[in-house]
Amino acid sequence: MVRKRVVVLYGGRADEHSISCVSAAGVLNAIDTDRYEPIPIGITKDGRWIIGGQDPRQWGLGDASLPTVQITEGSRPVILDMARGREGFLIGDHADLISGAQSSSAVGSLEPLGHVDAVFPVLHGPYGEDGTLQGLLEMMGLPYVGCGVFASAACMDKHYTKILLSQAGIPVAPGITIDSREQRSGADLLAAVERAELHYPLFVKPSRAGSSFGVVKVEEPQAEALAAAVAEAAKHDWRVLIEEGIEGREIECAVLASSKDRQPRTAWPGEVVLDKADQDEAFYDFDSKYVDSSASHVEVPADLPEETLQKVRDLAAKAFRTVDGAGLSRVDCFVTPEGRVIVNEINTMPGFTPISMYAKAWEATGITYTDLITDLIEGISA
């Protein structure tokens, strides 16, 4: 059997660079090499595409430091020729990386990488999960795993995700969106919150960032604390959400759909249970997710009545269809003590390590990690 050649993209310019590296390590270690020939291509934090160098299969979150894509002696630049489509990946010389050449006209000798059947963009956040890369691949005529341009862009921006979901009658957390470039005072921010009749605690977050980067919890109506929270979120995006904290449990639902038929399947919803922190003070931040393995653990299915779990699955599928999802997404919800389900956000390329919620949820539903990767690649429209 002729193996399909699949480019696995990882790294990237977003804050989630290191998480992408570990997700790619999981995919490369688990992919069915009898069916596929994986081709790892890393993207440095400054946006350079490279092949060769450090083997991403060796990376893990338990390392002394989070992994990053680095240029090594064995690295070579990857240049894209849009007109060549699936033959459009070209490899330059190591010297071109040092000189900073990034186009076919600026480099020396080039050799073709060869025919590429598909791309698995294991990239999180801006410049990978926000529709920009998806548009590039669409223009090249390259099939790729995951949501298309519209869904990727809409779900990357939490402000617009909420607008789409609300229009479809899907409950979302009450909140307001502000432009941090307007330099509002703490008093102005307090007044805006009061006009919106939001209740404390509040969560202040960048609209276009992931992995809880820049998210700050504000417990009480204090101008200084609110202004500081907005300033922190603004480090990641000028568009900032101020949302009312929902009293409830955070339940996550994995969605899987072939690009051919777009009919979503949902896994049993799971819950990340915080182990280490004071539950009254904690929320699921970056360290809890990725750095401190003793801070939390995943439970699938979540300890909820089956009726509630099914309600989460139904709403996750509806949200996925609302944003024109394809391939995969993780729909994050709140479940209130009364059993009400509220959608928090949609991640179109969720963390994809073997121990991430997305993979664990499908494993609990009967699909192994390797089979999940196969389903995603085979589900791409040719």
Side-chain angles (χ1 to χ4, degrees):
M1 182 176 69
V2 177
R3 296 189 300 168
K4 291 183 178 179
R5 304 185 79 228
V6 180
V7 166
V8 178
L9 290 174
Y10 60 94
R13 295 167 58 187
D15 290 331
E16 297 95 330
H17 177 102
S18 294
I19 308 310
S20 170
C21 292
V22 179
S23 291
V27 170
L28 291 166
N29 282 314
I31 194 170
D32 184 350
T33 52
D34 289 333
R35 300 173 66 109
Y36 308 111
E37 178 191 346
I39 306 169
I41 294 180
I43 304 174
T44 64
K45 285 189 173 182
D46 62 357
R48 288 187 279 180
W49 293 37
I50 63 171
I51 193 168
Q54 188 173 0
D55 185 354
R57 294 172 179 85
Q58 303 170 359
W59 287 332
L61 287 171
D63 298 344
S65 59
L66 291 174
T68 58
V69 177
Q70 301 286 342
I71 295 173
T72 67
E73 291 184 1
S75 301
R76 299 173 67 188
V78 176
I79 309 298
L80 301 182
D81 187 333
M82 306 291 293
R84 297 192 187 190
R86 300 189 190 195
E87 313 288 337
F89 288 82
L90 307 175
I91 310 301
D93 294 324
H94 178 74
D96 297 324
L97 279 175
I98 307 304
S99 67
Q102 285 291 289
S103 68
S104 57
S105 61
V107 300
S109 60
L110 289 171
E111 63 182 70
L113 178 64
H115 182 82
V116 171
D117 293 292
V119 177
F120 197 146
V122 192
L123 294 162
H124 310 306
Y127 308 109
E129 194 182 354
D130 62 353
T132 50
L133 176 71
Q134 288 72 20
L136 172 67
L137 297 176
E138 294 273 2
M139 288 191 291
M140 293 183 70
L142 273 165
Y144 57 90
V145 169
C147 289
V149 175
F150 174 78
S152 299
C155 293
M156 188 72 246
D157 194 319
K158 298 177 182 68
H159 169 73
Y160 288 106
T161 306
K162 292 179 70 171
I163 290 175
L164 289 169
L165 296 179
S166 296
Q167 287 295 311
I170 297 173
V172 297
I176 57 175
T177 302
I178 64 169
D179 184 339
S180 65
R181 298 173 299 183
E182 295 178 352
Q183 300 294 320
R184 298 188 186 186
S185 68
D188 290 338
L189 294 170
L190 280 179
V193 168
E194 185 175 348
R195 285 194 299 272
E197 299 182 345
L198 301 181
H199 298 92
Y200 290 81
L202 304 174
F203 282 93
V204 180
K205 61 182 73 172
S207 187
R208 294 166 290 196
S211 296
S212 301
F213 285 107
V215 180
V216 179
K217 187 178 183 180
V218 178
E219 297 280 3
E220 298 176 350
Q222 297 178 345
E224 185 176 344
L226 188 55
V230 169
E232 180 62 31
K235 293 177 182 178
H236 303 270
D237 186 15
W238 58 261
R239 183 179 287 135
V240 175
L241 272 62
I242 301 176
E243 293 183 343
E244 184 176 305
I246 302 297
E247 182 184 353
R249 292 161 60 180
E250 296 185 39
I251 306 298
E252 302 176 356
C253 187
V255 184
L256 177 64
S258 164
S259 296
K260 296 175 182 177
D261 56 30
R262 301 293 179 94
Q263 295 302 311
R265 291 176 280 164
T266 56
W268 283 113
E271 180 176 22
V272 177
V273 179
L274 295 175
D275 297 319
K276 197 172 181 181
D278 181 341
Q279 299 298 309
D280 292 332
E281 299 296 330
F283 67 95
Y284 191 36
D285 61 7
F286 179 82
D287 284 350
S288 301
K289 287 181 179 179
Y290 301 116
V291 178
D292 187 352
S293 61
S294 67
S296 62
H297 69 277
V298 171
E299 289 186 359
V300 183
D303 185 16
L304 287 167
E306 186 170 341
E307 178 183 358
T308 304
L309 293 174
Q310 192 56 52
K311 190 185 300 184
V312 172
R313 296 176 80 171
D314 292 343
L315 199 62
K318 182 178 180 180
F320 186 83
R321 288 192 296 267
T322 295
V323 299
D324 194 31
L328 75 161
S329 288
R330 194 191 70 230
V331 180
D332 297 347
C333 303
F334 297 112
V335 175
T336 69
E338 299 79 24
R340 184 170 179 240
V341 180
I342 298 168
V343 173
N344 181 29
E345 63 182 20
I346 302 173
N347 295 274
T348 55
M349 184 54 71
F352 211 85
T353 72
I355 61 170
S356 295
M357 175 65 81
Y358 191 85
K360 298 290 284 184
W362 281 113
E363 183 180 32
T365 312
I367 301 178
T368 68
Y369 188 49
T370 296
D371 287 342
L372 179 60
I373 295 167
T374 299
D375 279 1
L376 286 166
I377 297 172
E378 293 302 309
I380 300 171
S381 299

